[in-house]
Amino acid sequence: MSAVLRATDLHKSFRRGREEVHALRGVSIQVHPGEMVALLGRSGSGKTTLLNCLLGWERPDRGTVEVPGAADPAAAPWTAVAVVPQRFGLLGELSLADNVALAARLAGQLEPATAAGEVLDLLRLGHLAERAPDEVSLGEQQRTALARALVVRPAFLVADEPTARLDDELTAHVVSTLRDLHAATGTGVLLASHDPAVVASADRVVRLDDGLVVAG
Ligand SMILES: Nc1ncnc2c1ncn2[C@@H]1O[C@H](COP(=O)(O)OP(=O)(O)O)[C@@H](O)[C@H]1O
Ligand SMILES: [Mg+2]
């Protein structure tokens, strides 16, 4: 089984009415343990489609995806590949603390509430822990989704524009938190982002243009 998160020669098209949209046209990417890779590209270049294929949320028309710990990416546990979706996916009926603790519990942690509290504090959300998602800002929801991913101590973290709702100061804090995390635990991080601060802190940048990886 692979210790690397890898996609090879992915192709994916969507049908929109009569039109065929080629979201991915032969994309290969790999992320090694302990590496932070920024996935860059303008809106519509295929970033989310690529991440969704890596997560098993979309099936590529062609190409292969390898994730650690599972034969099929759709079956990979969050401890292998955790995700911060572009639309967060928090459970509205649970507090921020319970959203994060639930992920910890499902990952088999013995003290899920304690673990959730620690990660929420790390992301400066401790004072909001008992609120529901719709009682906090979008930036706070976004960091809660990040906390939910980090609490399981994943081998890989895939995050779709995880700082898009944050100001510069919080973006810097999130980026340094991710750097500390992957230095401490060897988590491999793949971040789709336009943010210069995210790009500057990455070990490597992969640029997508119209469904293809381009140089630089
Ligand atoms: N479910 C879908 N149905 C139709 N078109 C889609 C779908 N998902 C993505 N696309 C199209 O595929 C292209 C790539 O989209 P996306 O991967 O979301 O790019 P990005 O995340 O870089 O903005 C865009 O042209 C988008 O409109
Ligand atoms: Mg996107």
Side-chain angles (χ1 to χ4, degrees):
M1 218 113 35
S2 176
V4 177
L5 183 63
R6 179 186 289 127
T8 308
D9 195 28
L10 294 190
H11 292 252
K12 178 77 184 177
S13 299
F14 295 103
R15 190 154 279 294
R16 211 161 29 198
R18 291 212 181 135
E19 195 194 354
E20 177 111 350
V21 179
H22 298 287
L24 299 177
R25 299 189 291 150
V27 171
S28 298
I29 189 171
Q30 44 185 301
V31 184
H32 293 273
E35 198 183 25
M36 186 155 155
V37 178
L39 180 64
L40 221 97
R42 62 178 174 74
S43 181
S45 58
K47 302 182 298 297
T48 295
T49 304
L50 173 58
L51 298 188
N52 287 350
C53 288
L54 285 167
L55 295 163
W57 292 358
E58 310 250 25
R59 294 242 171 232
D61 302 329
R62 217 167 92 200
T64 56
V65 172
E66 293 164 65
V67 301
D72 177 351
W78 268 47
T79 47
V81 187
V83 55
V84 182
Q86 199 158 16
R87 290 188 186 147
F88 318 146
L90 299 172
L91 296 174
E93 62 271 35
L94 296 184
S95 67
L96 303 192
D98 285 343
N99 265 281
V100 178
L102 178 61
R105 183 168 296 126
L106 292 174
Q109 289 185 15
L110 296 179
E111 303 274 2
T114 307
E118 286 170 6
V119 183
L120 286 168
D121 284 343
L122 190 66
L123 290 167
R124 299 183 180 168
L125 293 165
H127 62 297
L128 302 172
E130 296 313 318
R131 296 215 199 156
D134 66 3
E135 295 167 345
V136 302
S137 73
L138 287 172
E140 289 155 353
Q141 291 176 33
Q142 185 158 44
R143 277 177 292 140
T144 304
L146 181 59
R148 180 188 56 190
L150 296 184
V151 79
V152 306
R153 299 190 206 113
F156 288 93
L157 170 69
V158 170
D160 201 347
E161 313 218 17
T163 61
R165 301 284 185 173
L166 307 182
D167 63 26
D168 289 350
E169 212 267 314
L170 277 171
T171 294
H173 176 67
V174 162
V175 167
S176 76
T177 302
L178 287 173
R179 286 214 71 90
D180 291 350
L181 166 93
H182 89 140
T185 64
T187 295
V189 181
L190 177 60
L191 303 164
S193 184
H194 302 282
D195 200 312
V198 172
V199 175
S201 72
D203 300 312
R204 198 151 61 76
V205 175
V206 174
R207 200 177 293 266
L208 275 188
D209 184 21
D210 199 15
L212 287 170
V213 174
V214 292

